[in-house]
Amino acid sequence: MAKNKDVVTIEIAGKDWEKALDKAFKKKVKEVKVDGFRKGSVPKNIYIEKFGIESLYMDAANDVVQDAYTKALQDSKVEPVIEPAIDVKEINEEKVVFEITITGKPEVKLGDYKNLKVKKEDVEVSKEEVDHEIEHLREQFAEIRVKEDGKVEDGDTAVIDFKGTVDGKELEGGSGENFPLEIGSHTFIPGFEEGVLGMKVGEEKDLHLKFPEDYVKDLAGKEVVFHVTLNEIKTRILPDIDEDFFKDLGYDKVTNQDELVIEVEKVIKDRKTQDADDRFLEEVLKNASENMEVDLPEEIIDDEVHRMMHQFESQLKMQGLTLDQYMEFTKMSHEDFHKNMEPEAIKRIKYRYLIEAVAEKEKIEVTDEEAEKDADEMAKNYGISKEELVNAFGGMDVLKYDSKMRKTLNFLKENN
């Protein structure tokens, strides 16, 4: 067996098992009805005669499994890195036998991790980038106004009523009232927005279009007629580049366009520098992990994949979706999804073990004072209390571990 694995057999028998069976009976008897007895008052011998003692086994096993688990950890020399696997090998009236497989951290043999000759990108910011960013900022603070006269132009929002018909029948889901259609958003099928361009308020129009060949099966390639009525035109008015605009951006010290250019250039450079720094570190970790030797058990990979799946599921919930709905949309099975996540899971595990091994070899430590200082700074950056931050991390020990990992990452950046 691998050095990082241990199988511990734990037997619960005698009075301990009798006690567990009796506790299971007291729970079960409240749930059953036997003629001639009030609910919950069936004698144990009558219950066993009717339902069999086997009906108590799993509840009793669940009652003693934590003690078995605790004893297995005490008896094993392996420190678990994932939840141990628990298997009931034997269960009867006399005893229950658990086989508990404990998986620890695999042996890591570091290769080269310093002086890897990874080139860090030079960061430059062009005039075009600055101009584009300023226009993007103006778009964010654009004022929406109703266009009293004129026609629909590119970039306008046309507020329309529309009704679609296919083969003379109303298209299911193909109608709407006061729908805000932004021209240029490509919300509808090709040709729709082009047909709305140039319309005036109050104008009605039939758009003779065709669904794309790669559209939903029942409509792909079919001709459709949309009857459109234009109710209102809204246009975006970009703000002037003046002091009011600077204040909206939060640049209180900026007084003119030249100063705005300097400030925006700095923001873009900081962002690009951080991106380049992230790519540099990623390349260092990739090369160093490829130089490292570690044999990852399947159980550890599965555990990381499941953690990633739960994280992904939480992200989906924030978007109002379930994992099953996502699977249905993507035509993917849980097995396919699991398999697709494995490469990223393996990478994450290798990086984690690499950083831990480097920290150990280079004797990188974080004092309690350093951890407290990190917690203060992080809480300030997140705008929460230190207590809230520590709770979010799961305790000061976890936060201290995180500080140690970040300190090690800085070491790797400085030595490559």
Side-chain angles (χ1 to χ4, degrees), residues 375-386 388-389:
D376 288 331
E377 290 178 0
M378 289 173 70
K380 185 178 178 182
N381 290 337
Y382 286 127
I384 58 176
S385 70
K386 184 176 175 180
E388 287 173 322
L389 178 82

Side-chain angles (χ1 to χ4, degrees), residues 299-312:
E299 296 90 340
I300 289 180
I301 297 171
D302 284 345
D303 184 73
E304 185 68 23
V305 168
H306 290 144
R307 192 190 338 271
M308 290 168 61
M309 288 177 75
H310 288 313
Q311 289 173 347
F312 186 72

Side-chain angles (χ1 to χ4, degrees), residues 165-383:
T165 56
V166 175
D167 298 330
K169 296 179 181 178
E170 186 173 337
L171 176 64
E172 187 178 347
S175 62
E177 293 182 356
N178 289 319
F179 183 88
L181 173 63
E182 184 181 341
I183 306 301
S185 64
H186 307 296
T187 306
F188 285 18
I189 63 174
F192 193 100
E193 289 180 20
E194 291 82 354
V196 175
L197 274 170
M199 288 182 69
K200 295 180 179 180
V201 174
E203 184 179 348
E204 297 186 30
K205 190 176 186 180
D206 284 337
L207 305 180
H208 295 266
L209 306 174
K210 184 182 281 190
F211 285 107
E213 296 296 336
D214 60 353
Y215 208 69
V216 293
K217 188 178 178 182
D218 293 342
L219 297 174
K222 281 197 170 187
E223 293 183 352
V224 58
V225 178
F226 284 102
H227 183 76
V228 179
T229 302
L230 180 62
N231 300 326
E232 190 176 54
I233 305 171
K234 294 180 179 179
T235 190
R236 297 167 66 83
I237 307 297
L238 298 181
D240 294 329
I241 299 177
D242 55 17
E243 288 189 14
D244 289 336
F245 181 52
F246 305 148
K247 286 179 182 177
D248 286 339
L249 294 174
Y251 296 153
D252 294 332
K253 295 180 181 179
V254 173
T255 59
N256 57 57
Q257 187 165 347
D258 289 339
E259 290 176 358
L260 175 65
V261 167
I262 292 170
E263 191 67 34
V264 170
E265 184 178 17
K266 180 181 179 298
V267 170
I268 296 173
K269 190 168 186 178
D270 287 347
R271 185 170 65 227
K272 291 180 76 172
T273 298
Q274 183 60 57
D275 290 343
D277 194 50
D278 291 344
R279 286 192 291 270
F280 170 75
L281 180 58
E282 172 67 25
E283 194 65 21
V284 168
L285 292 172
K286 177 176 173 290
N287 291 352
S289 66
E290 286 173 353
N291 296 335
M292 173 184 78
E293 290 182 26
V294 61
D295 184 20
L296 297 180
E298 189 177 322
E299 296 90 340
I300 289 180
I301 297 171
D302 284 345
D303 184 73
E304 185 68 23
V305 168
H306 290 144
R307 192 190 338 271
M308 290 168 61
M309 288 177 75
H310 288 313
Q311 289 173 347
F312 186 72
E313 194 169 9
S314 297
Q315 292 169 358
L316 287 175
K317 281 181 182 176
M318 292 172 68
Q319 300 171 37
L321 288 172
T322 66
L323 190 58
D324 287 337
Q325 286 172 328
Y326 176 82
M327 298 293 182
E328 189 177 340
F329 294 152
T330 57
K331 308 298 181 188
M332 191 185 297
S333 67
H334 280 267
E335 291 75 17
D336 291 336
F337 190 57
H338 190 288
K339 193 172 182 180
N340 287 347
M341 279 194 160
E342 281 184 11
E344 178 63 23
I346 291 169
K347 186 183 85 169
R348 289 188 186 188
I349 298 164
K350 283 186 174 181
Y351 283 8
R352 184 163 65 242
Y353 288 164
L354 166 73
I355 298 164
E356 289 175 349
V358 170
E360 184 178 352
K361 186 168 183 179
E362 298 293 338
K363 296 180 172 56
I364 296 171
E365 294 295 340
V366 171
T367 64
D368 289 343
E369 291 75 16
E370 286 175 315
E372 293 287 347
K373 185 180 177 183
D374 280 352
D376 288 331
E377 290 178 0
M378 289 173 70
K380 185 178 178 182
N381 290 337
Y382 286 127

